[in-house]
């Protein structure tokens, strides 16, 4: 993607480097031959991030990076945004009647967690490095096409090309439950039927994945008492998300932004 063909992104007088948007664009899907759509999505995402960072600094939020895993910490900017949202976004827990009404609307929606049997091929890269991410995606897309053309070749392709230790077992990760993997990987699993391979590579912070759902055991329906904590958490998260989006709208309403429109693409 030639960044010189796209307009500068300026948020409240702050010029955002083209390289930052180009790196973010690797995480956004666009039809082949239409890189402007990925750029627009990326510019909108970076504009929102910049607005939040500016507001965090205006409020004097202190960056305290949290540990995400063994030896992995948030960046300073991630910590600033989290600190801002912790300060500026607050919601009340849902009422009991609201929780019960959500369950009663369709009790069959609430089930015990599924169990997935999964294999994958990982082409590792740093998503922040645009050229490396692009090359990794191209390699992963080629492997996805080869796996789709010959499903029996998946284990051989994983053994030959995967950057994950599971390559020694043909890419097999064994049994996975919800929460065992990063959100993007889990979201891809939920969109697959048994025996299916992701038609497009799936990006995560580890790189690009070609994923095969080898088998799935669906969960069983839960009674209200068992489903209640999950419903309450989901309703509270939804309320929090609405409040966070409202904060972004408030910041955007008084901001001067060029190079992004913050409209859905």
């Amino acid at each position: 993607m030639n960044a010189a063909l796209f307009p500068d992104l300026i948020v409240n007088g702050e010029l955002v480097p083209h390289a930052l948007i180009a790196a973010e664009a690797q995480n956004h899907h666009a039809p082949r031959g239409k890189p402007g759509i990925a750029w627009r999505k990326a510019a909108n995402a970076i504009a929102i991030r910049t607005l939040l960072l500016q507001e965090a600094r205006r409020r004097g939020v202190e960056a305290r990076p949290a540990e995400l895993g063994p030896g992995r910490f948030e960046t300073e900017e991630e910590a600033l945004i989290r600190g801002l949202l912790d300060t500026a976004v607050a919601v009340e827990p849902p009422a009991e009647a609201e929780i019960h009404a959500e369950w009663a609307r369709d009790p069959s929606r609430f089930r015990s967690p599924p169990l997935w049997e999964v294999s994958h091929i990982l082409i590792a890269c740093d998503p922040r490095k645009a050229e490396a991410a692009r090359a990794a995606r191209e390699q992963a897309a080629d492997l996805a096409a080869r796996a789709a053309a010959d499903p029996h070749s998946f284990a051989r392709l994983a053994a030959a090309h995967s950057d994950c230790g599971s390559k020694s077992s043909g890419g097999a990760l064994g049994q996975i439950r919800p929460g065992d993997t990063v959100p993007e990987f889990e979201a891809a699993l939920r969109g697959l039927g048994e025996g299916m391979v992701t038609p497009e590579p799936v990006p995560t912070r580890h790189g690009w994945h070609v994923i095969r759902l080898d088998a799935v055991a669906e969960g069983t329906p839960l009674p209200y008492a068992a489903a209640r904590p999950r419903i309450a958490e989901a309703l509270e998260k939804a309320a929090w998300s609405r409040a966070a989006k409202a904060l972004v709208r408030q910041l955007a309403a008084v901001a001067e932004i060029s190079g992004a429109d913050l409209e859905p693409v």
Side-chain angles (χ1 to χ4, degrees):
M1 181 180 296
N2 185 353
L5 299 178
F6 300 98
D8 288 337
L9 173 60
I10 304 174
V11 182
N12 291 324
E14 179 180 342
L15 176 64
V16 177
H18 270 200
L20 190 61
I21 306 173
E24 174 66 23
Q26 305 302 315
N27 301 321
H28 297 274
H29 175 72
R32 186 178 299 275
K34 296 186 176 180
I37 292 178
W39 184 273
R40 185 180 167 198
K41 290 178 179 179
N44 284 342
I46 295 294
I48 290 171
R49 181 182 180 87
T50 303
L51 281 173
L52 292 172
L53 287 169
Q54 290 174 346
E55 180 66 9
R57 291 170 178 136
R58 187 187 71 80
R59 295 189 184 207
V61 174
E62 185 177 350
R64 296 179 179 176
E67 187 169 11
L68 302 175
R72 293 191 304 107
F73 290 84
E74 291 177 313
T75 65
E76 181 176 327
E77 290 189 345
E78 289 169 341
L80 278 173
I81 291 174
R82 178 177 53 79
L84 170 66
L85 295 177
D86 287 347
T87 301
V89 178
V91 296
E92 294 293 327
E96 187 66 31
E98 184 184 3
I99 300 170
H100 191 276
E102 181 64 20
W103 175 81
R105 201 158 57 81
D106 184 3
S108 66
R109 292 178 296 154
F110 306 103
R111 299 172 172 269
S112 59
L115 185 65
W116 299 297
E117 188 106 10
V118 181
S119 297
H120 84 140
I121 302 169
L122 169 65
I123 305 302
C125 68
D126 184 343
R128 296 169 297 183
K129 297 180 179 178
E131 285 302 313
R134 181 191 58 76
R137 189 194 185 287
E138 289 180 356
Q139 183 182 359
D142 175 65
L143 291 168
R146 291 164 65 183
D150 181 8
H152 296 295
S153 70
F154 195 96
R156 175 172 52 79
L157 292 172
H161 301 284
S162 183
D163 293 319
C164 177
S166 63
K167 67 185 298 179
S168 61
S169 55
L173 295 173
Q175 294 181 335
I176 292 176
R177 293 186 182 275
D180 286 348
T181 67
V182 293
E184 304 92 330
F185 194 103
E186 183 174 315
L189 286 177
R190 293 185 182 277
L192 293 175
E194 195 166 293
M196 289 178 61
V197 176
T198 48
E200 295 288 337
V202 177
T204 74
R205 63 175 177 265
H206 304 296
W208 294 89
H209 305 256
V210 180
I211 304 169
R212 184 180 68 189
L213 180 58
D214 298 322
V216 60
E218 298 292 351
T220 56
L222 296 172
Y224 175 68
R228 184 193 178 285
R230 184 194 303 179
I231 299 170
E233 181 181 14
L235 289 173
E236 189 165 352
K237 283 183 177 179
W240 188 94
S241 179
R242 289 193 297 271
K245 289 177 180 178
L247 172 64
V248 171
R249 286 196 299 270
Q250 291 168 10
L251 296 176
V254 296
E256 293 184 3
I257 302 173
S258 64
D261 55 20
L262 304 190
E263 295 294 330
V265 182

